Amino acid sequence: MTALLELDGLGFAWPGQPELLDIPHFRLQRGETLFLKGPSGSGKTTLLGLLGGVQKPQRGSIRLLGEDIAQLSSARRDHFRVDHTGYIFQQFNLLPFLSVRENVELPCHFSRSRARRAGERHGSVDQAAAVLLGHLGLGDAALLERRADSLSIGQQQRVAAARALIGQPELVIADEPTSALDADAREAFLQLLFAECREAGASLLFVSHDQSLAPLFDRSLSLADLNRAATAPGI
Ligand SMILES: Nc1ncnc2c1ncn2[C@@H]1O[C@H](COP(=O)(O)OP(=O)(O)OP(=O)(O)O)[C@@H](O)[C@H]1O
Ligand SMILES: [Mg+2]
């Protein structure tokens, strides 16, 4: 297997704070699904933000599809991220004033390759959004046109999931994506997530406190096993 994502000598600290992450090496294979765990505050979301190109490390390289995203300008990094990464943020990051449909379709506006793949698979971007939302129990036509901030938290989390999956990105990053879902919605979401990743040959990086999910993944890791800064005082 070849690596989709490969990280070397990564160091990261938030401004004015001691180093949070010191990770000599980490790799995620193409098509691999990985469950990442660790205590609250240990740096899981921070690591995902670095791998997804949201933040930049102070040192080290993060190669996604061979491109070192740590070296890209922030504009190029943003573009590269939308093309290749579907990101379910812990806080969802939906645009509140846009409709559900517009939120889900957003990556296709910024990325031609995501729009093309969504069109090839489902006929159109609109249709792709409707199908994904339908699988997540949000198929109601009127709901699609509602403002995102008029939805319940669990509904918003599913909108964020559909937005990450549209257009089949090579890497799906999911930060506590089931935290607001009931058992039925969680089951439907996990089925869709694995099916979409398999179909796209995508790799999945999944963070959760819910240990019962770990056996569903190819590999399970504790952040502390990767991170040499994990023994620092206060963590
Ligand atoms: N935007 C930020 N600015 C400054 N410090 C931050 C920021 N985001 C996180 N931190 C700090 O980095 C550390 C790790 O936070 P992070 O959100 O990565 O943890 P986590 O493992 O995802 O926790 P949780 O399981 O609660 O989501 C914490 O000490 C936090 O205060
Ligand atoms: Mg977090």
Side-chain angles (χ1 to χ4, degrees):
M1 274 206 276
T2 50
L4 176 83
L5 183 67
E6 189 151 23
L7 177 162
D8 279 294
L10 177 113
F12 180 83
W14 288 106
Q17 295 184 32
E19 192 158 82
L20 175 67
L21 297 173
D22 173 10
I23 301 180
H25 187 73
F26 167 73
R27 99 198 306 233
L28 185 68
Q29 309 287 12
R30 281 191 195 233
E32 185 181 23
T33 62
L34 176 70
F35 183 87
L36 182 69
K37 61 193 170 192
S40 177
S42 61
K44 303 180 300 296
T45 294
T46 304
L47 176 61
L48 295 187
L50 290 161
L51 298 177
V54 183
Q55 274 94 234
K56 223 174 157 145
Q58 277 87 22
R59 56 185 169 81
S61 64
I62 302 171
R63 281 189 303 282
L64 175 61
L65 290 157
E67 180 88 54
D68 185 358
I69 56 175
Q71 296 302 322
L72 297 177
S73 68
S74 69
R76 287 209 44 216
R77 209 166 62 240
D78 285 345
H79 199 252
F80 196 75
R81 177 177 70 240
V82 186
D83 269 345
H84 302 295
T85 306
Y87 202 134
I88 308 174
F89 291 91
Q90 192 167 13
Q91 309 288 347
F92 316 153
N93 291 10
L94 298 180
L95 296 184
F97 48 87
L98 294 185
S99 71
V100 166
R101 186 176 50 73
E102 288 165 335
N103 265 286
V104 174
E105 294 178 2
L106 214 51
C108 298
H109 289 293
F110 293 111
S111 165
R112 250 186 245 144
S113 56
R114 299 264 302 260
R116 182 176 41 74
R117 286 197 291 259
E120 281 169 4
R121 177 115 189 266
H122 296 287
S124 70
V125 168
D126 270 359
Q127 192 56 28
V131 168
L132 289 168
L133 288 164
H135 281 302
L136 295 168
L138 299 176
D140 181 74
L143 188 139
L144 251 67
E145 304 309 324
R146 273 172 53 189
R147 273 176 65 123
D149 61 357
S150 74
L151 269 57
S152 79
I153 299 297
Q155 288 173 327
Q156 290 185 38
Q157 190 160 43
R158 286 176 279 160
V159 174
R163 182 181 62 181
L165 295 174
I166 199 165
Q168 301 183 292
E170 288 95 337
L171 173 63
V172 175
I173 294 179
D175 195 352
E176 296 274 6
T178 59
S179 58
L181 304 185
D182 61 42
D184 286 348
R186 193 184 79 159
E187 184 60 33
F189 163 70
L190 289 170
Q191 273 183 17
L192 178 70
L193 180 66
F194 282 100
E196 288 293 307
C197 288
R198 208 177 310 116
E199 153 83 29
S203 310
L204 172 63
L205 195 49
F206 187 103
V207 162
S208 178
H209 288 291
D210 186 349
Q211 280 282 358
S212 71
L213 301 179
L216 301 172
F217 292 77
D218 295 332
R219 183 157 62 115
S220 171
L221 257 185
S222 288
L223 178 56
D225 296 338
L226 295 174
N227 185 18
R228 288 195 304 205
T231 51
I235 297 178

